[in-house]
Amino acid sequence: MTARDLEELSPAEALRLLAGAPIGRIVFTRHALPAIRPVNHLVTGGQIIIRSNPGTVLSTEVAPSGAVVAFEADELDAERRLGWSVIVTGVARLVSDLEEAARYRARLRPWVSGEMDQVVRISPEIVTGFRLRPAPSTTI
Amino acid sequence: MTARDLEELSPAEALRLLAGAPIGRIVFTRHALPAIRPVNHLVTGGQIIIRSNPGTVLSTEVAPSGAVVAFEADELDAERRLGWSVIVTGVARLVSDLEEAARYRARLRPWVSGEMDQVVRISPEIVTGFRLRPAPSTTI
């Protein structure tokens, strides 16, 4: 299998890819330990919106305290070893404006049954991403 | 779109799914901030093995200090809203035994060009996972 080079993505390109990804993963700290949850999301006005169950750590601790989280999405083809990954780091906060929250809820359908009443906004501060592409041949 | 139920996976089933996933994501804390990197991995003897570039935070800070990390893999079909996700939490350490490290290197080919000399072992302490399945119909 040919090795690949990592090509850095611009923040704009990274956010564009993130917006088109069906799944993302929110990464946060829970009792000083790293935690991660897969979620569906939308990107609007440069911000990432997710929904969260009212009883979860995300809703009760992370978002109310304006904690820093990471958000990751990727589309990596293990067979061909091509694809991309995007990682955003930023502050998570509950969306408190009722109309705004309702608008996002209409666009962001939860996958699982049950309440998903909280809407969380992640404001990106650092946006990084890479794309894997074929490494140039080293033969002469 | 019909909603889904979350079915909890047993740790054994979760590790079995994780072993078959082509990609995982290691989650750790960097300067008190959550960080995540997609990696390829293997599962052997109930432990997760990944390779890491010598210069990275993972190799120089996380693994040498025996930090707690999370490791996630999923296979989620956004269209059908079916699939699974597994999250392992455990201590990461560099594999110091040279023969053991060489054995893992032979089985775990890096995707990108360049050195990937460090081998990191994650010893699971908490293994959780879910599978999405169709919610029972609520009509009578």
Side-chain angles (χ1 to χ4, degrees):
Chain A
M1 174 63 67
T2 317
R4 302 301 183 193
D5 274 349
L6 282 186
E7 174 194 21
E8 252 182 64
L9 299 173
S10 71
E13 172 73 353
L15 277 181
R16 192 188 65 76
L17 288 167
L18 190 66
I23 298 269
R25 296 156 199 96
I26 184 164
V27 177
F28 52 97
T29 301
R30 181 189 188 179
H31 307 316
L33 295 180
I36 176 169
R37 300 283 175 272
V39 288
N40 54 337
H41 64 285
L42 61 89
V43 177
T44 180
Q47 305 203 308
I48 301 157
I49 310 290
I50 65 170
R51 290 177 70 170
S52 175
N53 194 298
T56 58
V57 176
L58 209 55
S59 290
T60 60
E61 293 175 32
V62 175
S65 65
V68 173
V69 302
F71 193 84
E72 192 263 2
D74 58 52
E75 199 177 290
L76 291 163
D77 179 336
E79 192 115 349
R80 299 170 60 217
R81 301 194 165 186
L82 294 173
W84 55 266
S85 165
V86 167
I87 298 165
V88 167
T89 308
V91 170
R93 286 194 195 282
L94 293 174
V95 174
S96 54
D97 184 280
L98 295 181
E99 279 181 34
E100 193 181 5
R103 214 161 52 235
Y104 295 144
R105 276 194 202 98
R107 292 176 59 193
L108 200 55
R109 291 281 160 208
W111 285 30
V112 290
S113 320
E115 272 189 301
M116 288 283 269
D117 268 356
Q118 305 286 347
V119 179
V120 177
R121 177 207 321 275
I122 302 164
S123 304
E125 284 171 16
I126 307 167
V127 179
T128 62
F130 66 80
R131 195 191 292 277
L132 293 174
R133 59 175 187 180
S137 170
T138 52
T139 54
I140 301 175
Chain B
M1 175 62 70
T2 316
R4 301 303 184 191
D5 276 347
L6 282 186
E7 173 194 22
E8 251 183 64
L9 299 174
S10 70
E13 172 72 352
L15 277 182
R16 192 188 64 78
L17 289 167
L18 190 66
I23 299 270
R25 296 157 198 95
I26 184 164
V27 178
F28 52 97
T29 301
R30 182 189 187 180
H31 309 316
L33 296 179
I36 176 170
R37 300 284 175 272
V39 289
N40 54 337
H41 64 285
L42 60 89
V43 176
T44 180
Q47 307 203 308
I48 300 158
I49 310 291
I50 65 169
R51 290 177 71 170
S52 174
N53 195 298
T56 58
V57 177
L58 208 55
S59 289
T60 60
E61 292 175 32
V62 175
S65 66
V68 173
V69 303
F71 192 83
E72 192 263 2
D74 57 52
E75 199 177 291
L76 292 163
D77 179 336
E79 192 115 350
R80 300 170 58 218
R81 299 193 168 188
L82 294 174
W84 56 266
S85 164
V86 167
I87 298 165
V88 167
T89 308
V91 170
R93 287 194 193 281
L94 293 174
V95 174
S96 54
D97 184 283
L98 295 182
E99 278 181 35
E100 192 182 5
R103 215 161 52 232
Y104 295 144
R105 277 194 201 97
R107 291 176 59 193
L108 199 56
R109 290 282 160 209
W111 285 31
V112 291
S113 320
E115 273 189 299
M116 287 285 266
D117 268 355
Q118 305 287 345
V119 180
V120 176
R121 176 207 321 275
I122 302 165
S123 305
E125 284 172 15
I126 307 167
V127 179
T128 62
F130 66 79
R131 193 191 292 277
L132 291 174
R133 58 175 189 182
S137 169
T138 51
T139 55
I140 301 174

